[in-house]
Amino acid sequence: MCGIVGYTGKSSALNPVIDGLRRLEYRGYDSAGIALPTQIGKPLFIEKRAGKLINLEEALKNTPETKSGIGHTRWATHGGPTDANAHPHLDNEGKLALIHNGIIENYIELRTELEKRGHKFKSETDTESVVHLLSDARKSHNGDLAAAMRDICKQLRGSFTLLALHSDNPTIIVGARRNSPLVVGVGDGENFLASDVSAFISHTKVALELGQDQIVEISPQGVVVTDLTGKVMTPKQYEISWDASAAERGGYPHFMLKEIYEQPKAIADTLIGRLAGLDVKLKFKKFNKIVIVACGTAYNAGLVGKYAIEKWSGIAVDVELASEYRYRQPSIDKKTLVIPISQSGETMDTLMAMRYAKDKGATIFSVCNTNGSTIPRESDAVLYTHAGPEIAVASTKAFATQLIAMYLIGLEIGKQLKVVKKELVEEIIQELSELPAKVEQVLETVEPLRELTRTLKDSQSILFLGRHVGYPTALEGALKLKELAYMHAEGFAGGELKHGPIALIDVGTPVVAIMPPENSILAEKMASNIQEVKARGAVVIAISEFEFKSADHLIRIPQVHEFLQPVLSVVPLQVIAYEMAIARGNDVDQPRNLAKSVTVE
Ligand code: F6R
């Protein structure tokens, strides 16, 4: 939530800052703003606008040339999406600007105290308390902004990435992080700070990882990282492996469509070098329970994972909504293996659930798409998915690769514990290796589905039905539709319908049914469920490997091992959600009220 960028160097700052914000807009798009130091010791140039980045860009007609600057794109938490609440926030003199991602939990007490000291507040945000606090601290540290930042971080509660700039030392930008992402981009005579590397990837591929409670000061000459006591730290440096073009739309009208079509490659990349086994040092024998913790789409991937991992490893698997997990004080001990799944690696709910489990002695084996992010950094072992940068807020290719990770983990544990038959392992490996081509095949046949979707655009509600691994797939189809089409959608297990949800069916209600493989007992059961909804007037769209006659519309997918079917059956569901968003005039890549990386609880 909230994208943050800072630049100091030899070029005009406006371009790298705005370009960085454009790439970070997926993190929040309620408002955007920049601060540029025009003259030493004078008030900063500030522009900020409610709404998307384009509103800010349009307002930036006569912007001064400066060699440093900070910019912010916001996902609102405290205070609505107005110009006044947009970041940067300023001190009383307008010379110190601050941007923030996260939540300051003690902002009310800070604000009360600061107002007593004469500070004037102009917004309803938690962030504004921090800039006033920093302003006072800077004065007591004789203008040393980094020292002031160290000082105030000890007084702040909550999660934050902070960037600050003062016009007295315009080439210096100071950053801080606690439970919220911040990376350094190291350039030649120029340096960057940002929420993630996509913001500066077109300028440098060298990045530094910052640890918890670290303060960073960048200038064109260098980067200095310290802990909160002022001790100088040596951050880990790494090379960014993808290039800027991976984060461009590449001719597609939306990132989401591009990412849907990138799934065959994302799956193939995630499988490379892993079909023969995973490179993990964990001894699975010691675990008697596996708990998958995740949110949203990643949680749905975990639900599919439960079917495969439990079956192939013989170990009981629970899947928990990360936001609920720690608050119910679950039973966890050294024999618990916790698998957090996260595309971003920064989701606060997942991070907190994982930390809770770690504190109780669990081993953490995370599945993550973002190199160097907090979740993998704090894990005992990591399986990186190689989906590449996922920019659209609605997750598609990351989900596909999370499914692959689940299968690989299930097989790995089963093999290590010698509980899965060699023939089955060989069969699944063969099936996994064929998946990219099969997804490609599905993508080649979705055009009629796009037309069909447009005819359903005025539906009140769309229901999704599945059984076995088709059930979490149905949940994922409903989640995608809700977030993109803003319409009522729910996923149900086919057998659950008669226990209540069937009352939702009315004449004309669209029902998307994911058919289990032909000749399976579940295919028969699902066929009965379909008859039940049809008898009540539903219009059934079936996604099926075989010629299923009872549906009003049939979307064929290739045959595949039953556990792997979600990788194929979710693709038409993604296409339905995408097309529905367009048909209803919604913003596909940036649906309302959402953000890509949810770094608040
Ligand atoms: C839905 C979606 C979200 C994320 C969830 C977890 O399309 O993208 O539900 O899956 O916020 O995010 P990560 O995987 O980054 O932890």
Side-chain angles (χ1 to χ4, degrees), residues 295-298 342-344 347 393-395 480 483:
C295 306
T297 286
S342 176
Q343 188 286 127
S344 61
T347 299
V393 165
S395 184
K480 279 298 84 101
E483 65 179 322

Side-chain angles (χ1 to χ4, degrees), residues 124-339:
E124 305 144 304
T125 63
D126 50 342
T127 308
E128 204 180 358
S129 297
V130 185
V131 73
H132 290 289
L133 193 66
L134 186 64
S135 171
D136 280 1
R138 189 183 160 277
K139 283 178 191 142
S140 51
H141 284 279
N142 298 321
D144 184 338
L145 191 55
M149 188 68 97
R150 281 191 285 274
D151 198 354
I152 67 152
C153 284
K154 293 177 204 149
Q155 301 170 55
L156 300 178
R157 287 205 310 272
S159 62
F160 50 81
T161 301
L162 300 166
L163 289 197
L165 172 79
H166 196 284
S167 66
D168 281 356
N169 297 98
T171 58
I172 290 177
I173 301 172
V174 171
R177 75 165 287 257
R178 177 183 300 162
N179 291 333
S180 182
L182 179 61
V183 279
V184 185
V186 183
D188 179 13
E190 56 182 6
N191 290 304
F192 304 79
L193 289 171
S195 304
D196 79 45
V197 298
S198 64
F200 51 72
I201 184 84
S202 51
H203 303 273
T204 177
K205 288 194 167 180
V206 182
L208 301 178
E209 233 177 69
L210 290 179
Q212 186 73 330
D213 275 331
Q214 291 190 345
I215 306 298
V216 56
E217 179 183 292
I218 62 164
S219 65
Q221 291 76 37
V223 177
V224 181
V225 178
T226 65
D227 67 9
L228 290 191
T229 68
K231 185 169 150 223
V232 175
M233 314 296 287
T234 312
K236 194 170 143 211
Q237 182 170 311
Y238 63 100
E239 189 88 8
I240 303 157
S241 57
W242 44 274
D243 60 23
S245 64
E248 304 288 351
R249 280 210 305 266
Y252 285 91
H254 300 99
F255 278 110
M256 183 184 175
L257 193 62
K258 175 184 177 240
E259 288 161 7
I260 288 174
Y261 277 84
E262 279 174 345
Q263 290 181 107
K265 180 174 182 323
I267 294 167
D269 288 351
T270 303
L271 288 171
I272 285 177
R274 289 165 169 172
L275 284 171
L278 295 181
D279 181 19
V280 274
K281 307 251 170 323
L282 300 176
K283 297 272 172 277
F284 295 111
K285 206 167 68 193
K286 86 179 223 210
F287 305 116
N288 61 9
K289 180 167 72 170
I290 297 174
V291 183
I292 297 175
V293 291
C295 306
T297 286
Y299 171 78
N300 293 337
L303 289 174
V304 175
K306 175 183 166 74
Y307 286 82
I309 299 175
E310 193 161 298
K311 176 85 180 161
W312 298 338
S313 73
I315 304 179
V317 180
D318 283 337
V319 190
E320 300 267 356
L321 287 170
S323 54
E324 288 292 317
Y325 186 53
R326 69 180 171 135
Y327 296 105
R328 67 173 182 78
Q329 297 171 342
S331 104
I332 306 168
D333 59 26
K334 289 200 174 80
K335 293 183 179 163
T336 310
L337 177 67
V338 168
I339 305 182

Side-chain angles (χ1 to χ4, degrees), residues 376-421:
R377 279 216 315 264
E378 295 189 14
S379 301
D380 299 291
V382 187
L383 178 61
Y384 279 109
T385 50
H386 295 307
E390 193 179 62
I391 309 293
V393 165
S395 184
T396 52
K397 62 176 180 170
F399 177 72
T401 59
Q402 286 161 354
L403 295 177
I404 301 299
M406 295 293 98
Y407 303 135
L408 291 173
I409 290 173
L411 283 186
E412 186 67 25
I413 303 178
K415 281 193 296 180
Q416 200 188 93
L417 301 183
K418 300 193 174 47
V419 294
V420 62
K421 289 210 175 78

Side-chain angles (χ1 to χ4, degrees), residues 467-482:
R467 280 177 172 262
H468 194 258
V469 290
Y471 166 49
T473 316
L475 294 178
E476 176 59 8
L479 174 61
K480 279 298 84 101
L481 197 67
K482 273 182 249 195

Side-chain angles (χ1 to χ4, degrees), residues 364-502:
I364 313 293
F365 180 16
S366 60
V367 170
C368 185
N369 193 44
T370 310
N371 224 296
S373 56
T374 311
I375 289 175
R377 279 216 315 264
E378 295 189 14
S379 301
D380 299 291
V382 187
L383 178 61
Y384 279 109
T385 50
H386 295 307
E390 193 179 62
I391 309 293
V393 165
S395 184
T396 52
K397 62 176 180 170
F399 177 72
T401 59
Q402 286 161 354
L403 295 177
I404 301 299
M406 295 293 98
Y407 303 135
L408 291 173
I409 290 173
L411 283 186
E412 186 67 25
I413 303 178
K415 281 193 296 180
Q416 200 188 93
L417 301 183
K418 300 193 174 47
V419 294
V420 62
K421 289 210 175 78
K422 195 163 154 277
E423 300 73 46
L424 182 69
V425 174
E426 281 164 8
E427 183 192 344
I428 301 294
I429 287 175
Q430 180 59 30
E431 291 263 6
L432 283 170
S433 67
E434 289 168 9
L435 275 178
K438 288 185 179 173
V439 174
E440 199 79 67
Q441 231 176 301
V442 180
L443 287 168
E444 276 161 17
T445 56
V446 291
E447 216 38 56
L449 179 61
R450 295 179 68 170
E451 265 170 49
L452 170 63
T453 303
R454 290 194 283 272
T455 67
L456 304 175
K457 88 172 179 26
D458 296 321
S459 307
Q460 291 295 311
S461 165
I462 298 193
L463 305 183
F464 294 77
L465 294 188
R467 280 177 172 262
H468 194 258
V469 290
Y471 166 49
T473 316
L475 294 178
E476 176 59 8
L479 174 61
K480 279 298 84 101
L481 197 67
K482 273 182 249 195
E483 65 179 322
L484 288 157
Y486 319 152
M487 67 198 289
H488 175 248
E490 277 191 72
F492 297 109
E496 235 346 75
L497 267 189
K498 55 190 176 293
H499 300 291
I502 200 161

